[in-house]
Amino acid sequence: MSDMSKFKVVLDQEKCIGCNTCPLIDPDTFEMDTSIYKAKVKAQPIEIGEKIKTAISSCPVGAISLVEEKD
Ligand code: F3S
């Protein structure tokens, strides 16, 4: 069974408190913007793997979410 849905990682910088958790968990996807001490999406992942799910569930303020992309 294949999942044809495409998801995009979205990080709400209004919510981010700069705790640095998401870049530690998944440095390929997230990085800190040191000019504002908030994280940002470094690169969209090819697929949504465990590291991204862990980063999402570990964010203390729920700033990271997955948004389904419609064609
Ligand atoms: Fe910010 Fe949450 Fe990452 S607070 S640094 S988006 S884990």
Side-chain angles (χ1 to χ4, degrees):
M1 199 170 84
S2 66
D3 181 2
M4 299 301 286
S5 299
K6 279 197 147 191
F7 288 91
K8 187 178 158 190
V9 179
V10 175
L11 194 154
D12 184 347
Q13 288 190 324
E14 297 285 316
K15 287 186 185 172
C16 175
I17 55 170
C19 73
N20 203 34
T21 301
C22 57
L24 281 176
I25 294 172
D26 189 351
D28 294 329
T29 305
F30 304 100
E31 68 182 355
M32 291 303 290
D33 184 334
T34 50
S35 64
I36 54 173
Y37 294 102
K38 289 174 185 285
K40 64 182 180 183
V41 176
K42 179 181 176 185
Q44 287 295 329
I46 296 161
E47 60 179 359
I48 306 300
E50 285 308 312
K51 276 202 286 188
I52 291 166
K53 290 176 186 169
T54 303
I56 290 170
S57 62
S58 300
C59 177
V61 292
I64 312 164
S65 54
L66 296 176
V67 175
E68 191 170 2
E69 289 199 304
K70 307 260 185 252
D71 294 327

